[in-house]
């Protein structure tokens, strides 16, 4: 019977747990350092807007500390919230955003389901083309779109230019491609056994979508909805080009056109209007952030 000898003089490898712990500690410290810098960089503009919105026009014009309010007042908020013009801008933005989100989801959800689950010839190429459409800058599209709508009005007599509802046609060119791409990634992450079982049980594709995939893909749908709402609420270029009358303008354009008179800038009300305009998206993100992150993560990993 053979015996195994162990050379006790051979050096042993030791794991330096203390070194790994120190590296992890320094990594966390650097992470928090850069996160703090990013937070400061991101929060400084809203903080300055808030400080300026609490000042009178005289205090803004005076050579005082711009980061301190010596005589705080709410007259800028009262002035805007009691202004029929500002309320019209807000109402138009709300109508446009709600309708655009509805139109976007009615188009993008069935389109994404068809491209992700109903495999057919050219579906992968078509899905890539949908996303590439979103990459075309809006600065290259607004002139052709404007000429198309102007020619449509001359040909049919139905004027769309300078009407707020023209934005219901224009905004989906931005929201539908990206929302469809997000939903393609989310639908692709769902196990294929679900739709196979539904089809075996006699369900149609529409029933499979409405009864199985929409409930399962709810986080992805929320992510796409938030994106569509943010784009339609904060869009500036298209409403600037397609709407000129005060009663047809939405909030981002209305604030600039109504509160800037020549070379006179009403900074107090401009900052107040910007803060009030940022409130709805902020509220939406605050309550639905978890769904938004989950939807984007699934779309990024499976898209």
């Amino acid at each position: 019977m053979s015996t195994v000898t162990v050379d006790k003089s051979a050096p042993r490898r030791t794991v330096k747990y203390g070194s790994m712990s120190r590296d992890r500690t320094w990594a966390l410290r650097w992470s928090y350092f850069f996160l703090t810098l990013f937070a400061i960089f991101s929060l400084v503009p809203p903080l300055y807007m808030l400080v300026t919105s609490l000042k009178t026009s005289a205090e803004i014009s005076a050579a005082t500390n711009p980061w301190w309010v010596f005589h705080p007042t709410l007259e800028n908020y009262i002035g805007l919230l009691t202004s029929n013009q500002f309320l019209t801008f807000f109402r138009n933005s709300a109508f446009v955003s709600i309708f655009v989100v509805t139109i976007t989801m009615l188009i993008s959800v069935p389109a994404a389901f068809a491209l992700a689950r109903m495999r057919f010839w050219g579906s992968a190429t078509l899905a890539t083309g949908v996303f590439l459409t979103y990459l075309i800058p809006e600065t290259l599209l607004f002139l052709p779109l404007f000429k198309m709508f102007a020619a449509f009005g001359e040909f049919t007599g139905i004027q769309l230019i300078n009407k707020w509802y023209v934005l219901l046609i224009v905004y989906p060119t931005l929201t539908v491609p990206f929302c469809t791409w997000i939903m393609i990634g989310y639908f692709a992450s769902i196990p294929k056994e679900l739709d196979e079982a539904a089809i075996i049980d006699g369900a149609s594709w529409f029933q499979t979508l409405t009864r199985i995939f929409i409930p399962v893909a709810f986080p992805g749908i929320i992510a796409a909805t938030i994106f569509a709402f943010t784009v339609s609420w904060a869009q500036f270029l298209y409403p600037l080009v397609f709407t000129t009358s005060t009663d047809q303008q939405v909030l981002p354009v209305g604030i600039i056109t109504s509160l800037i008179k020549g070379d006179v800038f009403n900074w107090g009300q401009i900052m107040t209007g910007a803060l009030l305009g940022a409130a709805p998206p902020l509220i939406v993100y605050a309550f639905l952030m978890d769904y938004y992150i989950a939807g984007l993560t699934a779309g990024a990993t499976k898209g």
Side-chain angles (χ1 to χ4, degrees):
M1 183 175 181
S2 60
T3 59
V4 179
T5 59
V6 179
D7 187 5
K8 297 183 178 180
S9 63
R12 295 182 179 179
R13 293 184 179 180
T14 58
V15 180
K16 297 181 180 180
Y17 293 103
S19 176
M20 294 177 60
S21 178
R22 285 194 298 270
D23 291 343
R24 180 178 176 82
T25 300
W26 277 106
L28 288 175
R29 289 176 179 176
W30 280 111
S31 299
Y32 284 120
F33 172 75
F34 286 111
L35 285 174
T36 302
L37 288 181
F38 177 76
I40 293 174
F41 182 79
S42 302
L43 293 177
V44 163
L47 179 61
Y48 181 78
M49 293 164 58
L50 177 62
V51 171
T52 306
S53 68
L54 297 175
K55 294 182 179 181
T56 61
S57 298
E59 187 174 349
I60 294 174
S61 303
T64 57
N65 186 356
W67 293 97
W68 187 256
V69 184
F70 294 94
H71 305 287
T73 179
L74 295 176
E75 66 177 16
N76 292 321
Y77 291 89
I78 296 174
L80 283 183
L81 293 176
T82 56
S83 169
N84 290 330
Q85 192 177 60
F86 179 81
L87 296 178
T88 299
F89 299 152
F90 205 96
R91 183 179 63 251
N92 291 343
S93 288
F95 285 160
V96 169
S97 298
I98 292 172
F99 282 115
V100 168
V101 168
T102 304
I103 294 171
T104 300
M105 300 315 297
L106 288 176
I107 297 175
S108 61
V109 171
F113 178 75
L115 293 173
R117 312 302 293 198
M118 302 171 62
R119 295 295 182 180
F120 53 89
W121 183 84
S123 60
T125 304
L126 182 59
T128 304
V130 168
F131 181 68
L132 292 178
T133 303
Y134 170 74
L135 299 181
I136 301 176
E138 60 191 41
T139 52
L140 299 179
L141 293 177
F142 77 91
L143 284 177
L145 286 174
F146 186 88
K147 295 188 67 175
M148 288 172 55
F149 287 121
F152 178 81
E154 294 177 358
F155 181 75
T156 62
I158 302 174
Q159 294 297 326
L160 296 176
I161 304 298
N162 196 27
K163 300 295 183 181
W164 66 267
Y165 45 80
V166 70
L167 303 178
L168 305 183
I169 307 174
V170 176
Y171 282 178
T173 62
L174 300 174
T175 58
V176 169
F178 189 75
C179 291
T180 302
W181 180 256
I182 292 178
M183 294 307 303
I184 288 174
Y186 209 94
F187 283 141
S189 67
I190 298 175
K192 193 172 181 60
E193 290 78 10
L194 288 178
D195 48 344
E196 291 177 348
I199 293 175
I200 292 174
D201 291 338
S204 63
W205 282 112
F206 180 76
Q207 291 173 329
T208 303
L209 171 62
T210 55
R211 297 186 180 182
I212 297 176
F213 278 82
I214 287 181
V216 174
F218 188 71
I221 295 175
I222 292 296
T225 301
I226 292 176
F227 173 82
F229 175 78
T230 303
V231 170
S232 57
W233 184 270
Q235 178 60 221
F236 181 79
L237 179 60
Y238 282 166
L240 180 66
V241 173
F242 287 97
T243 57
T244 55
S245 300
T246 302
D247 60 333
Q248 301 296 322
Q249 290 176 342
V250 293
L251 194 59
V253 175
I255 292 174
I256 301 301
T257 57
S258 64
L259 299 179
I260 298 178
K261 305 296 184 181
D263 58 348
V264 178
F265 292 74
N266 190 348
W267 286 116
Q269 289 196 350
I270 291 175
M271 297 299 180
T272 303
L275 285 175
L276 293 176
L282 182 62
I283 294 172
V284 170
Y285 276 100
F287 286 98
L288 300 176
M289 179 59 70
D290 292 339
Y291 291 107
Y292 184 66
I293 296 175
L296 288 183
T297 303
T301 55
K302 297 293 183 180

